[in-house]
Amino acid sequence: MKRTLSGIQPTGIIHLGNYFGAIHNWLPLQKEYECFFFIADLHALTIFQKPEILHRNILDLTKLYLAVGLDPVKNIIFKQSAVKEHAELGWLLSCVTPISELERMTQFKDKSTQHKDNINAGLFTYPCLMAADILLYDTDFVPVGEDQAQHVELTRTIAKKFNNQYGDVLKIPEALINKVSARLKGLDDPEKKMSKSAPSDYNYIAMTDNPDLIRKKIKKAVTDSGTEIKFTPEKPALENLITIYHLTTGKSIEQIEKDFAGKGYGDFKKELAERLVEFLTPIQEKYNSISDADVEKILAAGAEKARKLAQAKMILVKQTIGL
Ligand code: TYM
């Protein structure tokens, strides 16, 4: 059976971009593939995290995985730091990764501009750890949003380099990117991606935002000039909102344009907010019904399964390189 793997950093807010760019696309994959969905807690440390908040965020992100319908029996759901082979393989891969490749990474450039006071070595070698996450489990497919495509491409480069040097031991993975949802934009700035590190909370809808806040954020979302509800690159803010409407309701873009013919931005935004509330409320109810104790159990069971596979792979990798 082919394997799929993906993860999210437990850095607090999980927004519609993370959901539609990643998690939503994981849901159908569980039926077809052997899936690994993990909490990228080691990656989160590249930015300073308060320990008690990090722990809370790890549990909450796992709750969200469960609340949206990832099955903990069928899939392997675990915390990256619970399987130490991720860090071990990360080191081995860093020894075949050219610095010039790491320097090209857009995320490194962005984050080192954003966090000028903490440009740590982990931020720089981050893609080597991500490559390890993927290569440790002989992953075939990596479903991610567009901003991670460059890291998956580098993973392929690293794996090929490693195989050339030592023999064919690492499987070359492929990114799975859903074009429609690959890059949701900020509600306050449609030129930039929706991002948890955006300066304003009005940039995103978080999966846990309450109905009033959702209504407020959609009302405040920037719009373009004109009044017509039309999906066109000339109206990037509206294009983004229509995409969110489409993803949330499953209605086609054409149908949405038809439904709002003759109506204005105000009507459209009101409807969008209500559809989002309808979409998120059941997820939030499920999320609130899951206990920390259940989450801890699921993470422990997932780590045990992942560890077995990771250990076997590391034995093979170490033998191959003469360790
Ligand atoms: P992270 O935590 O930044 O984001 C999680 C997922 O959400 C997607 N995403 C978006 N998609 C559409 N529109 C947006 N505005 C948007 N913002 C974020 C991301 O592309 C991602 O799929 N390095 C990864 C975590 C990771 C990982 C891995 C992923 C670590 N190891 C191995 C896959 C495989 C990250 O920081 O994602």
Side-chain angles (χ1 to χ4, degrees):
M1 198 189 251
K2 298 259 185 197
R3 285 191 178 159
T4 291
L5 172 140
S6 200
I8 297 183
Q9 294 190 54
T11 40
I13 291 130
I14 302 300
H15 52 64
L16 288 181
N18 301 127
Y19 179 75
F20 285 119
I23 309 176
H24 184 72
N25 304 313
W26 304 351
L27 295 171
L29 299 174
Q30 346 174 51
K31 294 198 194 98
E32 247 181 283
Y33 301 111
E34 186 178 5
C35 296
F36 298 72
F37 300 123
F38 70 99
I39 309 288
D41 55 351
L42 294 176
H43 277 105
L45 297 175
T46 52
I47 289 163
F48 175 71
Q49 307 287 336
K50 288 201 175 117
E52 62 286 2
I53 296 179
L54 177 61
H55 186 64
R56 184 70 260 152
N57 288 342
I58 290 168
L59 298 180
D60 287 349
L61 179 54
T62 314
K63 277 187 194 176
L64 189 67
Y65 281 10
L66 302 172
V68 298
L70 295 178
D71 181 341
V73 178
K74 262 184 116 194
N75 307 300
I76 302 185
I77 296 180
F78 67 104
K79 191 171 73 169
Q80 184 185 31
S81 63
V83 182
K84 61 181 186 316
E85 285 74 13
H86 287 245
E88 194 179 5
L89 182 58
W91 169 255
L92 300 182
L93 298 178
S94 74
C95 296
V96 299
T97 307
I99 284 191
S100 56
E101 292 282 353
L102 296 172
E103 279 169 344
R104 286 194 314 109
M105 294 296 110
T106 312
Q107 185 167 308
F108 172 69
K109 290 186 209 158
D110 288 351
K111 290 211 169 160
S112 46
T113 314
Q114 249 172 36
H115 302 277
K116 282 208 173 66
D117 52 338
N118 184 19
I119 307 176
N120 55 69
L123 195 62
F124 188 60
T125 58
Y126 178 115
C128 301
L129 181 59
M130 180 156 162
D133 301 334
I134 297 169
L135 300 173
L136 195 50
Y137 300 99
D138 295 330
T139 303
D140 296 281
F141 302 113
V142 187
V144 285
E146 192 186 85
D147 63 341
Q148 295 301 320
Q150 199 183 29
H151 290 156
V152 180
E153 201 43 53
L154 179 55
T155 299
R156 291 164 58 85
T157 305
I158 294 173
K160 285 179 196 163
K161 236 175 160 307
F162 194 95
N163 286 349
N164 280 341
Q165 224 156 298
Y166 295 113
D168 230 356
V169 72
L170 300 176
K171 186 164 210 170
I172 313 297
E174 257 175 65
L176 279 188
I177 295 180
N178 177 338
K179 284 213 177 74
V180 178
S181 59
R183 193 179 176 82
L184 291 190
K185 316 290 190 326
L187 300 179
D188 58 349
D189 182 357
E191 298 302 318
K192 297 207 180 113
K193 68 170 185 179
M194 186 178 283
S195 165
K196 40 191 152 186
S197 51
S200 162
D201 294 355
Y202 284 86
N203 171 274
Y204 54 77
I205 303 281
M207 295 299 287
T208 47
D209 279 348
N210 67 41
D212 281 348
L213 192 53
I214 293 171
R215 291 184 185 108
K216 237 196 249 167
K217 285 184 175 179
I218 295 294
K219 195 168 175 198
K220 239 188 124 180
V222 299
T223 38
D224 315 272
S225 54
T227 53
E228 200 189 356
I229 307 301
K230 187 131 192 63
F231 189 81
T232 154
E234 280 152 37
K235 296 185 173 201
L238 188 63
E239 203 178 35
N240 190 43
L241 294 178
I242 295 178
T243 301
I244 294 175
Y245 196 106
H246 158 68
L247 291 166
T248 305
T249 61
K251 273 195 182 173
S252 69
I253 306 284
E254 297 76 43
Q255 189 60 47
I256 298 168
E257 285 178 338
K258 260 192 211 155
D259 289 352
F260 289 97
K263 296 184 183 159
Y265 292 161
D267 295 316
F268 172 72
K269 282 172 139 191
K270 242 186 230 158
E271 279 294 320
L272 172 60
E274 293 318 309
R275 297 295 80 78
L276 277 169
V277 169
E278 268 170 26
F279 177 73
L280 290 174
T281 302
I283 294 176
Q284 293 173 356
E285 281 168 3
K286 181 86 205 290
Y287 174 92
N288 289 325
S289 74
I290 302 168
S291 73
D292 287 355
D294 283 347
V295 169
E296 300 271 17
K297 262 191 236 149
I298 285 165
L299 287 177
E304 201 176 318
K305 288 189 219 160
R307 216 175 278 133
K308 277 205 188 102
L309 297 165
Q311 281 168 352
K313 185 72 188 182
M314 276 314 290
I315 289 173
L316 191 67
V317 168
K318 284 164 104 174
Q319 268 172 1
T320 309
I321 63 180
L323 288 172

